[in-house]
Protein backbone atom coordinates (compact mmCIF):
# COMPACT_ATOMS: atom_id res chain seq x y z
CA UNK A 1 0.00 0.00 0.00
CA UNK A 2 1.18 3.53 -0.78
CA UNK A 3 1.82 5.82 2.18
CA UNK A 4 0.20 9.28 2.27
CA UNK A 5 1.83 12.02 4.36
CA UNK A 6 -0.09 15.14 5.37
CA UNK A 7 2.53 17.85 5.87
CA UNK A 8 2.43 21.24 7.57
CA UNK A 9 -0.91 22.60 8.76
CA UNK A 10 -2.83 19.58 7.45
CA UNK A 11 -1.93 18.04 10.81
CA UNK A 12 -3.05 14.49 10.16
CA UNK A 13 -1.27 11.21 10.78
CA UNK A 14 0.08 9.34 7.76
CA UNK A 15 -2.15 6.64 6.26
CA UNK A 16 -1.67 3.75 3.86
CA UNK A 17 -3.98 3.37 0.88
CA UNK A 18 -4.38 0.81 -1.88
CA UNK A 19 -4.60 2.97 -5.02
CA UNK A 20 -3.27 2.78 -8.58
CA UNK A 21 -2.89 6.54 -9.21
CA UNK A 22 -3.52 9.98 -7.72
CA UNK A 23 -6.98 10.20 -9.28
CA UNK A 24 -7.98 7.29 -7.07
CA UNK A 25 -6.56 9.14 -4.05
CA UNK A 26 -8.70 12.15 -4.94
CA UNK A 27 -11.76 9.87 -5.01
CA UNK A 28 -10.68 8.24 -1.73
CA UNK A 29 -10.87 11.66 -0.01
CA UNK A 30 -14.08 12.75 -1.78
CA UNK A 31 -16.24 12.77 1.37
CA UNK A 32 -13.76 14.75 3.51
CA UNK A 33 -14.81 18.40 2.95
CA UNK A 34 -11.98 19.93 5.00
CA UNK A 35 -9.35 17.91 3.14
CA UNK A 36 -10.96 18.69 -0.23
CA UNK A 37 -10.43 22.40 0.45
CA UNK A 38 -6.74 21.75 1.17
CA UNK A 39 -6.29 19.47 -1.85
CA UNK A 40 -7.38 22.30 -4.13
CA UNK A 41 -4.27 24.28 -3.13
CA UNK A 42 -1.72 21.59 -2.19
CA UNK A 43 1.25 20.52 -4.23
CA UNK A 44 1.74 16.75 -4.46
CA UNK A 45 5.00 14.83 -4.39
CA UNK A 46 5.55 11.16 -5.09
CA UNK A 47 8.76 9.84 -3.57
CA UNK A 48 9.89 13.44 -2.93
CA UNK A 49 9.40 14.54 -6.57
CA UNK A 50 6.66 17.09 -7.34
CA UNK A 51 4.09 15.77 -9.81
CA UNK A 52 1.25 17.32 -11.81
CA UNK A 53 -0.18 14.25 -13.57
CA UNK A 54 -2.95 12.61 -11.53
CA UNK A 55 -2.69 9.48 -13.69
CA UNK A 56 0.90 8.71 -12.68
CA UNK A 57 1.03 5.00 -11.77
CA UNK A 58 1.72 4.24 -8.12
CA UNK A 59 3.20 1.18 -6.47
CA UNK A 60 2.80 -0.11 -2.93
CA UNK A 61 6.25 1.25 -1.99
CA UNK A 62 5.47 4.85 -3.04
CA UNK A 63 5.28 7.76 -0.62
CA UNK A 64 2.76 10.48 -1.47
CA UNK A 65 3.24 13.83 0.26
CA UNK A 66 0.55 16.50 0.35
CA UNK A 67 2.31 19.86 0.58
CA UNK A 68 0.13 22.85 1.52
CA UNK A 69 1.37 26.34 0.62
CA UNK A 70 3.35 28.12 3.32
CA UNK A 71 4.39 31.70 3.96
CA UNK A 72 7.83 32.62 5.10
CA UNK A 73 10.38 35.30 5.10
Amino acid sequence: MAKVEFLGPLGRPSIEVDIANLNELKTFFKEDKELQDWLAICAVAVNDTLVCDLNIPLSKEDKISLLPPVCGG
Side-chain angles (χ1 to χ4, degrees):
M1 292 216 231
K3 181 178 181 179
V4 180
E5 296 181 325
F6 303 90
L7 302 178
L10 292 173
R12 294 179 181 217
S14 297
I15 63 170
E16 292 189 353
V17 292
D18 187 17
I19 55 173
N21 58 48
L22 295 173
N23 266 322
E24 288 184 16
L25 183 63
K26 187 176 177 181
T27 301
F28 184 84
F29 293 132
K30 186 170 90 172
E31 300 301 319
D32 189 328
K33 175 65 175 139
E34 179 186 358
L35 191 55
Q36 283 293 318
D37 291 342
W38 278 111
L39 290 176
I41 59 173
C42 280
V44 178
V46 176
N47 301 322
D48 300 321
T49 301
L50 290 176
V51 297
C52 295
D53 183 3
L54 295 181
N55 293 310
I56 186 171
L58 299 170
S59 71
K60 63 182 179 179
E61 295 88 20
D62 286 334
K63 176 181 74 171
I64 303 159
S65 302
L66 301 179
L67 309 153
V70 294
C71 294

